[in-house]
Amino acid sequence: MTVLISVWGASPGVGKSTLCGGLARRLAGAGLRVDHFREEEVLTRPQFAAVAEAFRTTGTVGPGLLIAATAEFVDSVLASGVDVVIADALVPFVPTLLAMGRDEETIDAFLTDLTRVLAPVSPVMVFLDGNAGSALSRAAGREGEGWLDRYVGKLARYEVRPPVTDVASAVTYLARERAVTLAAVARNGWNVVVIERADELPPGEVLSAAERSLRPWWAERGAAARGE
């Protein structure tokens, strides 16, 4: 049996990619077969080729295309015999849909379909919570000069609500993105682990907190992998 661990967060810079890397190493070290799906791989994974092409040619991606790509990905994961997928900012696609101007009713309907498609890989979300303004500052320090302006500019070009024009409005928008994401997965019965104040904690503490919360899922997979 396979489990999908989806890692999301309140803002860029909150530590999603760092946590994904740490979890992937720990689980592989425990003898599990791990597929670490990095955020940028959505443009190169073969199952998401149609999504990448649509985004390149039109700048938008429809819900149906996301569902179809995810279904292909789930089939490929099950065929590969992977125990755990660590997905960095992939599903549930809520920020993508918000950026394309989709309303919350459309997002709820999409999540209902997505939950059905993901059922064979027992999804659990790890949500790194924290102060979006602080996390953005951390991301800007890591990525270098000009990153924050480019990030704000990207949001400004999308159809997000409330509109983004500067850092303050980006923080306001990220608060809405957080609320819509958590509410949508809760209504669809996802297992969700929320790690509070992730932007304030050292990466090792975030990893330990995630490990403790996820242990029931990977202990079951580890036993299955060992034939117990």
Side-chain angles (χ1 to χ4, degrees):
M1 185 179 294
T2 304
V3 63
L4 168 71
I5 299 174
S6 174
V7 179
W8 266 101
S11 168
V14 78
K16 298 186 301 296
S17 297
T18 300
L19 175 59
C20 286
L23 284 173
R25 288 189 293 274
R26 289 288 179 88
L27 296 179
L32 297 176
R33 294 160 294 183
V34 178
D35 179 0
H36 181 184
F37 195 136
R38 293 168 176 81
E39 184 173 5
E40 65 274 12
E41 289 180 14
V42 72
L43 297 177
T44 58
R45 291 265 181 150
Q47 299 82 17
F48 286 86
V51 171
E53 180 62 21
F55 187 76
R56 277 193 293 264
T57 57
T58 69
T60 188
V61 180
L65 195 56
L66 291 172
I67 291 291
T70 304
E72 284 190 40
F73 177 67
V74 168
D75 287 344
S76 71
V77 165
L78 295 175
S80 72
V82 166
D83 296 308
V84 181
V85 178
I86 308 290
D88 182 351
L90 181 65
V91 293
F93 302 112
V94 172
T96 299
L97 296 174
L98 287 173
M100 302 304 169
R102 308 291 178 170
D103 59 25
E104 293 181 33
E105 183 177 352
T106 301
I107 290 172
D108 274 348
F110 171 83
L111 256 292
T112 298
D113 291 339
L114 182 67
T115 301
R116 173 182 50 79
V117 166
L118 290 175
V121 290
S122 306
V124 54
M125 172 185 280
V126 178
F127 192 88
L128 301 184
D129 216 350
N131 182 287
S134 298
L136 282 177
S137 295
R138 187 161 73 173
R142 179 190 67 211
E143 299 295 336
E145 185 177 357
W147 178 86
L148 190 54
D149 288 339
R150 290 192 298 274
Y151 177 73
V152 170
K154 180 179 72 172
L155 290 181
R157 291 190 297 273
Y158 291 149
E159 300 175 47
V160 299
R161 295 289 180 273
V164 171
T165 58
D166 54 18
V167 175
S169 56
V171 170
T172 300
Y173 165 71
L174 286 169
R176 182 190 177 217
E177 182 183 278
R178 170 194 179 278
V180 172
T181 300
L182 290 176
V185 296
R187 282 192 293 269
N188 282 276
W190 285 40
N191 294 301
V192 180
V193 172
V194 178
I195 299 178
E196 306 283 353
R197 297 172 38 247
D199 58 313
E200 302 175 23
L201 300 174
E205 289 189 29
V206 174
L207 176 58
S208 294
E211 285 184 301
R212 287 193 298 271
S213 298
L214 292 169
R215 190 165 289 122
W217 283 278
W218 82 53
E220 179 181 347
R221 272 67 190 177
R226 294 189 297 270
E228 297 175 4

